[in-house]
Amino acid sequence: MNPLTSILIALLTPLIGALLALASRTRPKLAVTSAVTASAITLAASISLAWATRSGDVFAIHAGDWQAPFGITLVADTFAAIMLVVCQLVIVASVIFCAKTLDASYHRRFLYPLLMTLSFGTNGAFLTGDLFNLYVWFEVLLLSSFALMALLRGEDGHAAAWRYVVINLIASLLFLAAAGLIYGKTGTLNFAELRVRFSEAESSFLINSSAALLFGAFGIKSALIPLAFWLPAAYPKLPPALSALFAGLLTKVGLYAFFRVFGMVFSDGTAFPHQDVLFVVAVVTMVGGVLGAVGQGEMRRILSFHIISQVGYMALALAIYSPLALAAGIFYIGHHIIVKANLFLATGLVEAHAGSSDLSKTSGVMKTSPVIAVLFAIPALSLAGIPPLSGFFAKFSLLHSALQLSDWIGAAAIALVGLLTVFSMLKIWRAIFWGDAEPREAKPHPLLNLTSAVLGLTTIAIGLAAGPLFEIAQTAANGLIDPQTYLEAVLSTPL
Amino acid sequence: MQVIIALITGLLIGAGIYRLLGGAKIDIIIGLILISQGGNLIIFASGGLKHNAPALLTDEATNAASMADPLPQALVLTAIVIGFGILAFLLTLLTRSSKA
């Protein structure tokens, strides 16, 4: 398939799926079918795009044939394609879980159109080539996620949704102000053009203010401590099928923006010390997140705190900013999206089976359902970084890159937080899966086990094929550090 | 002109943050509206402010100096629309949670 066609298919299929799901709202089965089909087609297009960009090629579409930097550009480079593929995998799994685990009240309330518009927003954010459109796509996916949050019932749910909405709106406003200031200073918003401008020696006085604003905005969106405490307040309230989607996608879109803007656009020519600030923030996030996780007593809450600590790892990769570290960070993001979503899905399985995921109420799932225990164990071990699973290679390559630059603080944090992660996973394991079991009859739908198993197998496969996949991550990282191909594709492609 | 716009922007954002810290939900909504209007003004001013300069090419004015920059205006339009959508959503959320 032509890569340019793949870009359009990957972007527009979710929108068509959303419209179809909206049209068939009164018939949930049809809505589910259209949502799953649309996600599957998008996944296929994303895979073909990843295949086309695997050796570092960049494809750009100029909407309405307006040449960059004047028109709206859609760009697919290796990094964007990797993100598209893993996110679509999670979206497909999450839609299947939503269909089988949520009660009927959700199905009547615009659930599938919202899931599809969420996917539409994330794909747009990955493929866009300019800062303002990144803001717009962020708004598309945020509004979808707000509405999904607002489906929550009860006083607790409303409070969680409210907090989540307000903090993310503030992040969006920071982002908007930053985009305005950058346009005022440089006269362009196109990533490629901005990169060219910043590498010419200009005064960076106003750029610093924009960079600081962007840092705050992306920091809130990707949940870096001290901007992360909305996350454990909001995510555990969601049903597991949705929290898998949120945990997998939303913070990672923020990280994508971090990598794209601070890794590619701002990497030279700005005096804003984003690497030093990011380093401190990342280490604090890693340690703080995992300490928060150790102190929790409910599966969903523990996993929510783990999101924060893992985001710290990826931010650390960007803060170290060597080619190896950046590649490790990209590999880490890909691994993390799949594993984190899978952990939440496994939590959903536990709840469907045992009725609760509270550590003090549930025990002995191992005896009553060994299948669920295995399905939880795979992503849990992978998250903790046990070889030969994907998490080990992600952590190891990051540690290696930290040691290469003799960055002892970073290396110590990586090792220590890894240990604490294992510890808090063992806590879940001991409480939920071991111990005495009361007899349970409820069995989750076999399709759910299969979905979770596919993601688990993906984790194992990423671990076994770490070599070639890491090479692709390195290609993506090099494309960010030295975006020559990107600039050529965007700024001078005759259509 | 620039000074006035800058002052108004600062005033809007300052007032917005003050209301945002008020704590009640309606305060938070009003605060967010004020801040987003401040953000819109930042974008509007970012293209440079010109007097009596339309954002159009006419026959007698084909040089860029006598034109206002159309891009920030397009951006502000987009931002206003998004802000309006968010406001509608927030008000819905408010009525929902007050009913519950």
Side-chain angles (χ1 to χ4, degrees), chain A residues 95-416:
Chain A
V95 172
I96 294 173
F97 255 76
C98 282
K100 294 288 176 199
T101 57
L102 297 183
D103 54 56
S105 67
Y106 277 98
H107 295 296
R108 283 199 303 273
R109 296 160 68 200
F110 297 105
L111 174 73
Y112 298 103
L114 286 171
L115 289 175
M116 286 291 99
T117 45
L118 186 74
S119 152
F120 184 48
T122 48
N123 291 358
F126 295 147
L127 289 171
T128 184
D130 70 81
L131 200 62
F132 190 78
N133 277 307
L134 187 63
Y135 163 78
V136 174
W137 288 117
F138 263 8
E139 290 301 312
V140 171
L141 75 94
L142 274 178
L143 263 176
S144 315
S145 70
F146 291 165
L148 285 170
M149 271 271 174
L151 294 178
L152 294 175
R153 289 288 171 79
E155 202 54 46
D156 268 10
H158 283 305
W162 186 257
R163 211 173 293 165
Y164 173 81
V165 168
V166 170
I167 191 79
N168 273 296
L169 279 184
I170 291 169
S172 297
L173 292 172
L174 291 176
F175 192 177
L176 189 64
L181 290 173
I182 283 184
Y183 182 76
K185 173 70 182 159
T186 60
T188 181
L189 288 164
N190 187 293
F191 287 147
E193 179 82 352
L194 281 172
R195 164 83 189 204
V196 173
R197 290 288 167 86
F198 289 154
S199 49
E200 297 162 3
E202 280 194 36
S203 99
S204 63
F205 173 63
L206 274 179
I207 299 303
N208 282 351
S209 62
S210 316
L213 284 169
L214 284 177
F215 197 96
F218 297 157
I220 292 174
K221 283 180 200 295
S222 51
L224 292 167
I225 288 178
L227 309 168
F229 295 104
W230 55 269
L231 192 146
Y235 282 15
K237 301 276 185 297
L238 286 163
L242 286 177
S243 56
L245 188 67
F246 278 42
L249 292 185
L250 296 186
T251 51
K252 265 40 98 198
V253 180
L255 273 166
Y256 170 86
F258 249 123
F259 273 63
R260 176 69 71 199
V261 172
F262 286 95
M264 188 181 99
V265 178
F266 282 166
S267 60
D268 46 17
T270 46
F272 184 71
H274 58 84
Q275 271 174 268
D276 307 343
V277 178
L278 196 58
F279 182 80
V280 174
V281 166
V283 171
V284 169
T285 305
M286 285 158 69
V287 177
V290 83
L291 288 179
V294 169
Q296 301 300 320
E298 208 269 329
M299 255 172 101
R300 294 184 195 180
R301 287 192 66 83
I302 292 179
L303 294 177
S304 296
F305 271 100
H306 272 306
I307 298 173
I308 297 178
S309 124
Q310 301 283 315
V311 163
Y313 274 103
M314 298 167 231
L316 184 70
L318 183 61
I320 295 173
Y321 202 71
S322 67
L324 180 65
L326 212 54
I330 291 170
F331 188 87
Y332 209 118
I333 293 180
H335 132 82
H336 173 88
I337 290 174
I338 291 171
V339 165
K340 192 84 242 177
N342 198 4
L343 277 170
F344 274 100
L345 296 183
T347 309
L349 291 175
V350 169
E351 284 181 14
H353 176 66
S356 157
S357 60
D358 197 312
L359 297 195
S360 56
K361 286 180 193 156
T362 308
S363 70
V365 174
M366 186 103 159
K367 288 200 181 81
T368 51
S369 175
V371 176
I372 293 177
V374 170
L375 287 178
F376 176 82
I378 294 170
L381 292 174
S382 182
L383 189 83
I386 309 290
L389 297 161
S390 59
F392 169 74
F393 295 97
K395 275 200 173 63
F396 178 78
S397 48
L398 190 57
L399 186 64
H400 184 63
S401 68
L403 291 174
Q404 253 186 350
L405 300 176
S406 37
D407 175 359
W408 305 116
I409 299 172
I414 292 168
L416 176 77

Side-chain angles (χ1 to χ4, degrees), chain B residues 12-98:
Chain B
L12 278 170
I13 293 184
I17 291 173
Y18 178 73
R19 286 310 293 268
L20 195 65
L21 300 175
K25 281 179 181 171
I26 190 73
D27 276 341
I28 291 176
I29 292 180
I30 291 171
L32 284 171
I33 297 167
L34 290 174
I35 295 176
S36 72
Q37 297 308 329
N40 292 349
L41 267 186
I42 289 179
I43 296 180
F44 183 71
S46 70
L49 298 161
K50 286 178 180 165
H51 201 61
N52 271 347
L56 311 161
L57 280 173
T58 53
D59 292 341
E60 62 268 15
T62 44
N63 60 334
S66 64
M67 270 173 60
D69 190 342
L71 187 73
Q73 303 184 14
L75 299 187
V76 164
L77 264 178
T78 315
I80 288 172
V81 172
I82 291 176
F84 182 69
I86 300 245
L87 169 62
F89 177 80
L90 277 173
L91 290 171
T92 315
L93 201 62
L94 179 72
T95 48
R96 275 258 192 108
S97 55
S98 60

Side-chain angles (χ1 to χ4, degrees), chain A residues 8 31 53 66 139 333 343 423 455 493:
Chain A
L8 288 177
T53 57
W66 282 88
E139 290 301 312
I333 293 180
L343 277 170
F423 175 74
L455 288 185
T493 35

